[in-house]
Amino acid sequence: MSHDMLNRKIGRSEITASAIGLGTWAIGGWMWGGTDRAASIAAIQASVDEGVSLIDTAPAYGQGLAEEIVGEAIQGRRDKVVLATKCGLVWHVQQGNHFFDYAGQPVHRYLGRASIQHEVEQSLRRLRTDYIDHYITHWQDPTTPVEETMDALQELKQAGKIRSIGASNCTAADVTAYLAAGQLDAVQEEYSMIKRDIEDQFLPLCMQNGVSVLSYSSLALGLLGGRIGPDRVFSGDDLRRENPRFSQANRRKVAALMEEIGPIAHAHSATLAQIVIAWTIQQPGITFALCGARNPEQARENAGAGRLRLSATDLQSVSDAARRHLTDLDA
């Protein structure tokens, strides 16, 4: 049975967005073997047509490319989109902490006031909009006081350039520091059936303080999508090529999990990936699940997960199967 798209509020803001969000890291091409601009635009537009309002991007995804593609795709549809992007991974200055090199150029983690003010203008230009619904610190910068970062973000909010504030790739201590400095509406962290470490302390802290959680890698870079078998070969700059999580032994365990949850998928007329995503957004403390899509078919499949409602029995069965097959996966 299909329901309406599940929508939820972003923290204490007045913003409501679809529980399924479109993540655009792969659309930027970097570490994903390049990108197809036309297919990416079609994927974004298909997501919006299917009721996915939350679109998450970042300057670091292809050094502006993902933002440019999103900006092109949402022309004429801006009122249907809750747009999230990020700041804090910079290449226009060499301040903060060196993080990695991209095309031979250094990228730093930096969240100083002037840098944030520069970054938001660049993102607004690439996204072809005059406001960002949810603005997120992409990675945390230990060289800048959280108070300075939050002051800059709150100034942007007062100016109407951003509507809510988020943080990503942070610790419970980071969340506490942000909350002490202002209104933190949401955090974005990796969470899936095979990476559940935030359940113990991080999620309860967020729930206690009205902070939403946007989970990313809900399908674990595709490992839990039901389509990557033990014999799949990854090539080029595909980040999964040397990832131990994608070992053949792990993929055999995942295949056994998929076989076990198959009957639940069948009962809901759903795909295996949709069951995994639906399970994710029904876990305590998980508000949104960001799912990547590089073509309209993937976009429509992800959106379908937001219309599923798994019963308590379904959720327990999937959790039990995950515990049996995934607890001893290679890291």
Side-chain angles (χ1 to χ4, degrees):
M1 180 179 176
S2 183
H3 299 258
D4 291 337
M5 173 64 69
L6 183 63
N7 287 274
R8 291 170 171 168
K9 281 184 69 174
I10 299 178
R12 293 195 167 98
S13 77
E14 295 304 310
I15 304 168
T16 298
S18 57
I20 303 298
L22 174 65
T24 64
W25 181 16
I27 280 174
W30 172 57
M31 297 180 74
W32 288 88
T35 194
D36 179 326
R37 193 181 190 99
S40 297
I41 289 170
I44 295 165
Q45 294 175 343
S47 294
V48 177
D49 291 343
E50 290 287 328
V52 171
S53 58
L54 179 60
I55 299 178
D56 176 86
T57 189
Y61 302 161
Q63 287 207 330
L65 179 59
E67 283 189 328
E68 290 173 1
I69 291 172
V70 169
E72 183 176 347
I74 64 173
Q75 291 305 293
R77 302 164 188 250
R78 180 66 182 91
D79 61 333
K80 296 181 179 179
V81 170
V82 175
L83 195 54
T85 194
K86 308 180 186 73
C87 61
L89 288 188
V90 302
W91 53 92
H92 68 283
V93 294
Q94 295 188 24
Q95 292 173 267
N97 273 7
H98 177 257
F99 195 25
F100 58 85
D101 287 345
Y102 180 93
Q105 299 298 314
V107 176
H108 284 66
R109 288 183 287 187
Y110 185 54
L111 290 167
R113 181 191 303 274
S115 183
I116 289 174
Q117 291 168 341
H118 170 83
E119 281 205 85
V120 77
E121 296 300 336
Q122 296 301 307
S123 288
L124 289 169
R125 175 182 59 79
R126 287 189 290 255
L127 290 163
R128 306 189 198 182
T129 187
D130 55 4
Y131 70 97
I132 292 160
D133 297 286
H134 188 56
Y135 202 46
I136 305 158
T137 56
H138 199 159
W139 285 85
Q140 303 313 304
D141 163 27
T143 73
T144 302
V146 168
E147 293 78 10
E148 177 183 337
T149 299
M150 276 298 264
D151 281 349
L153 294 170
Q154 287 175 136
E155 284 175 10
L156 294 177
K157 190 174 173 183
Q158 288 161 6
K161 293 188 177 184
I162 68 174
R163 296 179 64 207
S164 61
I165 295 169
S168 184
N169 301 303
C170 52
T171 64
D174 292 328
V175 172
T176 301
Y178 274 107
L179 288 167
Q183 181 176 315
L184 181 71
D185 290 300
V187 292
Q188 188 173 132
E189 298 296 324
E190 182 177 358
Y191 178 82
S192 72
M193 286 182 183
I194 61 176
K195 194 176 190 306
R196 302 176 65 172
D197 53 312
I198 63 172
E199 289 179 345
D200 294 337
Q201 297 179 329
F202 193 90
L203 289 180
L205 172 67
C206 291
M207 285 189 280
Q208 288 161 15
N209 289 281
V211 178
S212 293
V213 176
L214 291 78
S215 70
Y216 67 82
S217 288
S218 303
L219 296 178
L221 304 178
L223 182 61
L224 296 174
R227 294 192 178 92
I228 296 178
D231 300 323
R232 172 81 173 267
V233 175
F234 302 102
S235 59
D237 75 342
D238 193 312
L239 77 168
R240 296 169 291 186
R241 187 163 61 96
E242 296 179 357
N243 187 332
R245 192 179 280 174
F246 284 80
S247 70
Q248 283 195 325
N250 279 359
R251 284 187 265 166
R252 280 192 287 271
K253 293 170 187 173
V254 170
L257 166 68
M258 294 300 164
E259 188 171 346
E260 192 163 336
I261 67 176
I264 297 172
H266 180 75
H268 286 272
S269 300
T271 66
L272 294 166
Q274 287 173 331
I275 295 298
V276 173
I277 297 167
W279 175 92
T280 302
I281 57 173
Q282 288 183 246
Q283 295 308 297
I286 301 297
T287 323
F288 305 95
L290 301 173
C291 306
R294 303 182 76 174
N295 58 56
E297 293 73 29
Q298 292 172 354
R300 284 189 280 268
E301 180 178 8
N302 292 343
R307 294 190 286 268
L308 289 177
R309 302 292 187 270
L310 300 181
S311 68
T313 302
D314 291 333
L315 289 168
Q316 191 61 55
S317 296
V318 174
S319 294
D320 290 346
R323 197 169 294 112
R324 274 192 296 276
H325 297 292
L326 303 182
T327 48
D328 59 345
L329 249 62
D330 300 331

